[in-house]
Amino acid sequence: MIPSDLERRILEAKQKGFVPFLVSATAGTTVYGAFDPLLAVADICKKYKIWMHVDAAWGGGLLMSRKHKWKLSGVERANSVTWNPHKMMGVPLQCSALLVREEGLMQNCNQMHASYLFQQDKHYDLSYDTGDKALQCGRHVDVFKLWLMWRAKGTTGFEAHVDKCLELAEYLYNIIKNREGYEMVFDGKPQHTNVCFWYIPPSLRTLEDNEERMSRLSKVAPVIKARMMEYGTTMVSYQPLGDKVNFFRMVISNPAATHQDIDFLIEEIERLGQDL
């Protein structure tokens, strides 16, 4: 998100008589793993009295890392935050949280006053009745999984988990950024563990960058992935995005992976794609 463009669009909407009421920023986008400039977004939301939501489903786990948490600077100013510990932090599925700043807001928005479920004369604090605070009413106690894992690993354990995954992603990026046969989808080091790249087979390396080359390149990643699955060696996701044809999106979230695993991945891509 470009803050100056965000403010321009807010002003344009207001001039047309609309009332902008929410900005949804992202901390760790699905494909690129990119982080919006939350501090600048927070300043704009405060200036125009707009609700600021941060989708930190994927990137929220970086708060556990003293080395990487700066990427979420400003998230503490949000009105609401989405966070999925089952993603970066490896908590068993499903473990999702919606955090809101205003106390009592979820209950005021969702409660149905169902007396046959939520009696008001119980002997314990009624705030523990979580069912009347959510649309689902009944649901799994997701946070218990996070609590158990936190007790087992500790904050330092989660920090080591996150740091290791980011280090592995940087290792992959450093190897392929200048390696023959590879092109990065965007310039610069990835902000998260998403490493997005094309593998360019020898037959395409001398072709001009035109529509024919893009058409042929779009077929490379699907074929290599199919061959990987047939051999049973590894799995890497791929997808197109906007005007960019199919590219590999290697996302590392398992701290048990090693440099040797990354080396194997690169060699396997080359072995299976040489003839394309």
Side-chain angles (χ1 to χ4, degrees), residues 14-219:
K14 292 170 74 71
Q15 288 169 0
K16 294 177 182 178
F18 298 115
V19 181
F21 70 93
L22 177 139
V23 171
S24 182
T26 307
T29 58
T30 302
V31 178
Y32 290 160
F35 289 75
D36 284 333
L38 302 182
L39 282 170
V41 173
D43 288 340
I44 292 171
C45 288
K46 180 179 179 181
K47 180 178 179 179
Y48 295 100
K49 296 181 173 59
I50 296 176
W51 184 281
M52 178 182 175
H53 176 72
V54 176
D55 177 355
W58 172 222
L62 267 60
L63 286 172
M64 292 291 179
S65 168
R66 284 169 291 185
K67 181 178 179 180
H68 296 285
K69 66 180 182 180
W70 62 270
K71 297 170 187 176
L72 288 107
S73 294
V75 71
E76 71 280 0
R77 295 173 59 187
N79 299 97
S80 58
V81 178
T82 303
W83 177 36
N84 293 157
H86 67 237
K87 292 181 177 174
M88 186 63 200
M89 296 164 64
V91 176
L93 282 167
Q94 175 176 335
C95 186
S96 302
L98 172 63
L99 309 175
V100 294
R101 175 179 297 281
E102 184 179 331
E103 185 176 357
L105 179 65
M106 295 299 292
Q107 193 154 9
N108 291 337
C109 290
N110 295 303
Q111 65 183 352
M112 298 296 291
H113 300 289
S115 60
Y116 54 90
L117 290 176
F118 308 111
Q119 296 82 15
Q120 302 303 300
D121 56 355
K122 291 175 181 174
H123 70 284
Y124 56 79
D125 186 346
L126 295 177
S127 67
Y128 291 116
D129 276 336
T130 58
D132 215 15
K133 299 176 183 177
L135 286 170
Q136 301 100 321
C137 183
R139 60 175 295 168
H140 295 294
V141 187
D142 286 354
V143 74
F144 187 54
K145 304 168 190 174
L146 174 60
W147 183 86
L148 281 174
M149 185 175 278
W150 211 328
R151 291 281 293 180
K153 297 182 67 166
T155 301
T156 55
F158 274 130
E159 180 178 41
H161 175 131
V162 170
D163 287 350
K164 176 68 180 301
C165 292
L166 269 292
E167 186 274 326
L168 287 169
E170 186 172 0
Y171 177 78
L172 172 60
Y173 166 72
N174 286 333
I175 288 178
I176 66 175
K177 66 178 179 179
N178 296 316
R179 188 182 180 100
E180 184 181 13
Y182 290 87
E183 288 184 14
M184 303 306 301
V185 174
F186 56 87
D187 295 329
K189 186 171 71 173
Q191 291 182 292
H192 207 345
T193 67
N194 309 44
V195 184
C196 301
F197 60 92
W198 287 285
Y199 171 68
I200 315 295
S203 66
L204 300 184
R205 292 174 194 173
T206 58
L207 295 184
E208 292 184 17
D209 189 7
N210 54 29
E211 188 174 336
E212 179 191 353
R213 183 179 184 271
M214 288 295 102
S215 176
R216 291 175 61 180
L217 182 59
S218 69
K219 300 181 176 80

Side-chain angles (χ1 to χ4, degrees), residues 226-239:
R227 291 177 177 180
M228 286 177 171
M229 295 178 68
E230 289 167 0
Y231 279 102
T233 53
T234 187
M235 284 183 65
V236 183
S237 64
Y238 70 85
Q239 69 280 304

